[in-house]
Amino acid sequence: MSERARFVRFLAVVAILLACVPESGHAQAGRSQVEEGNRLYEEGRFPEAHEKYLEGLAMAPESGLIRFNDGNALYKGDDYQRAVEAYQRAIETGDPAFAGSAWYNLGNSFYRQQQLEESLQAYKQALRMRPTDVDAKHNLERVLEQMEQQEQQ
């Protein structure tokens, strides 16, 4: 599944989860920030999306979903270390709705930083959560090949 298709699927999950949020003024304001962040993300304005997600986190600091979105914006903005931190915090919330995707994206972020062992472990965890994830399987195999090549050199 392409990264775009993953994101579209993820946005559908976000919409469903947001529909379950109570209609308090506080929750409404957080929802507005996430929706604005999603719009900015879709437009390729990743630093601005990151800022909106941070505003949403200020209103809902326990939200793993917002942390996951923020990780995506940071990753797309090539800020891989901060993306790692956002994905790790998203995973720590224990929300199964996006945990497999967060592990996969964590693996991608580690890979971009050439942290191959960490990337390998993240892909393994993604596969534990979603055994049929062909992208995670492909990336795991790619990391193993690269680690083997480095070992031979």
Side-chain angles (χ1 to χ4, degrees):
M1 178 181 302
S2 72
E3 191 171 320
R4 172 117 172 107
R6 279 181 183 272
F7 185 71
V8 169
R9 185 174 70 184
F10 171 73
L11 287 179
V13 171
V14 170
I16 292 166
L17 291 173
L18 288 175
C20 298
V21 175
E23 289 295 322
S24 72
H26 204 59
Q28 185 66 22
R31 182 182 317 174
S32 170
Q33 300 307 321
V34 170
E35 289 172 354
E36 179 68 10
N38 291 347
R39 183 186 66 75
L40 292 165
Y41 182 98
E42 280 294 307
E43 292 175 4
R45 297 164 58 188
F46 306 118
E48 293 169 74
H50 164 67
E51 291 302 320
K52 287 297 175 184
Y53 294 138
L54 289 181
E55 291 175 20
L57 277 171
M59 296 173 198
E62 73 289 343
S63 174
L65 187 59
I66 299 173
R67 292 183 189 285
F68 178 78
N69 284 0
D70 188 41
N72 291 340
L74 291 164
Y75 180 88
K76 287 295 214 169
D78 299 331
D79 192 344
Y80 304 120
Q81 182 54 46
R82 287 176 55 202
V84 162
E85 295 164 7
Y87 292 134
Q88 288 172 329
R89 285 188 298 246
I91 291 165
E92 288 169 2
T93 67
D95 191 328
F98 56 84
S101 295
W103 280 108
Y104 175 83
N105 290 358
L106 181 62
N108 290 344
S109 298
F110 279 132
Y111 183 80
R112 291 292 189 143
Q113 298 177 86
Q114 288 301 299
Q115 295 177 318
L116 299 182
E117 181 60 39
E118 292 85 350
S119 179
L120 180 71
Q121 296 308 315
Y123 291 136
K124 284 181 179 179
Q125 188 60 35
L127 283 167
R128 284 184 193 103
M129 301 190 84
R130 296 187 316 210
T132 60
D133 187 335
V134 294
D135 291 330
K137 184 178 185 308
H138 171 79
N139 288 2
L140 183 138
E141 290 169 354
R142 187 173 172 191
V143 168
L144 285 172
E145 289 170 5
Q146 190 171 347
M147 290 173 80
E148 187 175 305
Q149 287 174 353
Q150 285 180 355
E151 203 171 283
Q152 290 175 355
Q153 293 174 353

